[in-house]
Amino acid sequence: MKDENIQKPAFIFGKKNYTFMVIGIVVIALGFIFMSGGGSDDPEVFNEEIYNWQRIRLAPTLVIIGLAIEIYAILLNPKK
């Protein structure tokens, strides 16, 4: 009798939501990986690589796209 009233715990999001969340996290991580580096081993020498297009344009764009994917994943209705 007692077992009939016990409900199984349900996830807040569906499988589709979690899939998009993982994709968003990967895109954000890729953006941060592209931002890294460009420094110099010698503090007296300035390295111009810190201003290349990958760190100035591509990496922040990937992070913003990843955040947009995360917002979409949260707002996505899994029942449709």
Side-chain angles (χ1 to χ4, degrees), residues 18-79:
Y18 288 117
T19 304
F20 276 105
M21 284 183 190
V22 169
I23 291 169
I25 289 171
V26 168
V27 171
I28 292 170
L30 192 62
F32 278 108
I33 289 170
F34 282 153
M35 266 190 241
S36 67
S40 178
D41 294 331
D42 185 10
E44 299 295 323
V45 177
F46 182 73
N47 189 355
E48 288 288 330
E49 278 295 308
I50 200 161
Y51 294 121
N52 69 1
W53 71 274
Q54 176 180 322
R55 289 182 183 88
I56 299 296
R57 305 266 187 224
L58 180 65
T61 304
L62 284 175
V63 172
I64 291 171
I65 290 171
L67 289 173
I69 292 171
E70 290 296 324
I71 291 170
Y72 175 74
I74 291 170
L75 295 178
L76 183 65
N77 190 354
K79 294 180 175 123

